[in-house]
Amino acid sequence: MKTNTIKRAFAAMAVSAVALSAAAMNASAENAVDYTPTGKAAGFKGASLELTQKTITLDEAKNAQQIVFSVKGAGTKYDSTGIHIKFDEGLELAMTKNSFNKDVIAAPMDQYGASEAKEDGNGLFLTFANTAPLEVAADGSDLWTFSVKVKNPEAGKKYPIQIVYQNGDLFDLKGDANTEALRDYAFSNVTQGYIAIEGTTTTTSTTTSTTTSTTTSTTTSTSTSTSTSTSTSTARQSSAAATNKTTSTTKKVSTTAPKANSPKTGVPGAGLAVAGLAVAVGTAFVLRKKED
């Protein structure tokens, strides 16, 4: 029972991961400019259209940049195209070399039965038709290449290169029942291109200063006390000294004097007790003598 629960949990996680992956792929694609999806591609898997996205330095912007128009969607078959591509006003078309090393405005990347590249305002109209279907390679297939140059390069600026749909444009497989779904999928899944120039580099300098302050305080105290007691038989002296480092010294002396008519002793009043004891002893001694 526990094993089945774990299996169901992992299965749910796998389905979620696939859903998230599909959502991420769809989020990166967009419709061609001015294209409204027909809905024919619902549940259909075709090929997407892509243009080069390139970031260059301000120095590299002095040279013409090559752009590739390609398709992605392994195994998808097609045989005819008619695609409009428009450039940002800051870009201009430059000549490129074809497979025969001739200067052309755009060069086909395959041997098509018939192909043509036309300059159309600030852009291109690229068409080809083939007698047999072509198939998209596993890593995608390049259809055309062309070059553009930045007119007045500016650091940090981005120059879009976009697939723009016009009525009658194609990405078809003639005679196939799914040709309209193939076209709808292609123009609904477009990765637009651009040339971006890196921004200027800013250097930041930071200065750190540290101040250290040290204060030392010393306190010394000294205290001394002395107590002295004297009797007739013994003189006792006691002194206690407690020394803490200080700047002053105090001495205290206390003396207890014996009371009048009392022998000098270390305990006050002890003289009377001793005298009484002496009389008692003397009397006892006299009485004993008389008895003898």
Side-chain angles (χ1 to χ4, degrees):
M1 186 71 178
K2 194 171 186 179
T3 303
N4 290 336
T5 302
I6 294 173
K7 285 182 178 179
R8 284 196 297 271
F10 277 110
M13 290 172 63
V15 170
S16 298
V18 171
L20 287 171
S21 178
M25 289 177 64
N26 291 333
S28 65
E30 58 185 289
N31 297 334
V33 176
D34 297 333
Y35 182 74
T36 302
T38 64
K40 298 289 181 66
F44 179 82
K45 177 65 175 176
S48 61
L49 308 179
E50 300 189 7
L51 287 166
T52 299
Q53 297 178 342
K54 183 179 288 188
T55 300
I56 59 176
T57 64
L58 192 59
D59 189 59
E60 290 172 330
K62 298 174 183 177
N63 304 316
Q65 302 296 318
Q66 185 181 43
I67 304 298
V68 175
F69 170 40
S70 61
V71 290
K72 296 286 179 66
T76 302
K77 293 182 179 181
Y78 60 99
D79 62 8
S80 54
T81 66
I83 311 289
H84 284 87
I85 297 174
K86 296 293 184 180
F87 317 139
D88 184 88
E89 291 296 329
L91 301 174
E92 59 184 357
L93 189 63
M95 301 302 283
T96 191
K97 299 287 185 182
N98 64 10
S99 57
F100 301 103
N101 201 34
K102 291 183 178 180
D103 288 330
V104 293
I105 57 175
M109 300 298 287
D110 203 344
Q111 296 296 321
Y112 306 122
S115 62
E116 185 176 14
K118 289 184 177 180
E119 194 167 355
D120 182 27
N122 199 44
L124 289 167
F125 180 49
L126 305 173
T127 64
F128 70 78
N130 212 53
T131 54
L134 300 171
E135 186 173 317
V136 181
D139 58 347
S141 298
D142 296 337
L143 303 184
W144 293 86
T145 183
F146 56 91
S147 296
V148 291
K149 192 175 186 306
V150 183
K151 295 177 183 178
N152 298 296
E154 294 181 36
K157 192 165 182 180
K158 187 176 182 179
Y159 304 87
I161 302 169
Q162 299 178 304
I163 294 172
V164 178
Y165 180 80
Q166 293 187 21
N167 189 32
D169 283 1
L170 306 172
F171 187 84
D172 290 11
L173 180 59
K174 294 187 301 291
D176 189 89
N178 291 319
T179 190
E180 290 185 0
L182 179 68
R183 185 190 314 147
D184 188 45
Y185 187 94
F187 288 107
S188 299
N189 291 273
V190 172
T191 299
Q192 303 287 23
Y194 61 78
I195 291 176
I197 301 178
E198 294 177 352
T200 55
T201 302
T202 303
T203 302
T204 303
S205 178
T206 303
T207 302
T208 303
S209 92
T210 303
T211 303
T212 303
S213 176
T214 303
T215 303
T216 302
S217 174
T218 303
T219 303
T220 305
S221 73
T222 303
S223 176
T224 303
S225 71
T226 304
S227 177
T228 305
S229 178
T230 308
S231 67
T232 54
S233 59
T234 306
R236 295 178 182 173
Q237 295 182 346
S238 65
S239 65
T243 305
N244 295 319
K245 294 180 181 181
T246 188
T247 57
S248 64
T249 302
T250 304
K251 288 187 178 181
K252 293 182 181 181
V253 179
S254 66
T255 304
T256 303
K259 289 185 178 181
N261 302 319
S262 297
K264 293 182 180 180
T265 178
V267 181
L272 293 174
V274 171
L277 181 60
V279 171
V281 171
T283 301
F285 180 76
V286 171
L287 291 176
R288 187 172 180 181
K289 282 287 187 179
K290 287 183 178 182
E291 288 178 1
D292 289 343

